[in-house]
């Protein structure tokens, strides 16, 4: 949900940049900032899901004792 806001703002900026009458450096800077923010949020969410799973699998297997 949260990265969607930045992705829509980025798309809006790209549409405005395609119209050369509104193109300026501030619009380009804001569009790039929105894209980078969305990418950072998506990467952080992915890391937040994958890292705990890897840690649990790694240390959870070491705690299990082999059955004899």
């Amino acid at each position: 949900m949260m990265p969607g806001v930045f992705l829509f703002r980025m798309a809006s900026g790209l549409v405005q940049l395609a119209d050369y009458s509104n193109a300026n450096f501030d619009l380009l800077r804001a569009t790039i900032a929105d894209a980078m923010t969305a990418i950072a949020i998506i990467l952080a969410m992915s890391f937040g899901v994958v890292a705990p799973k890897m840690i649990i699998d790694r240390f959870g297997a070491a705690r299990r004792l082999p059955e004899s």
Side-chain angles (χ1 to χ4, degrees):
M1 290 193 293
M2 188 61 168
V5 171
F6 294 105
L7 290 173
F8 279 116
R9 287 172 50 183
M10 179 196 69
S12 173
L14 290 174
V15 169
Q16 290 176 10
L17 285 171
D19 180 23
Y20 293 114
S21 63
N22 290 334
N24 59 20
F25 182 70
D26 289 333
L27 178 60
L28 178 64
R29 184 181 52 80
T31 302
I32 292 172
D34 288 335
M36 295 305 293
T37 303
I39 290 169
I41 291 171
I42 292 169
L43 288 174
M45 288 172 60
S46 300
F47 181 76
V49 169
V50 172
K53 171 77 169 113
M54 291 176 63
I55 292 170
I56 289 170
D57 288 347
R58 175 105 165 151
F59 294 114
R63 296 191 74 192
R64 283 186 242 134
L65 298 174
E67 295 181 26
S68 42

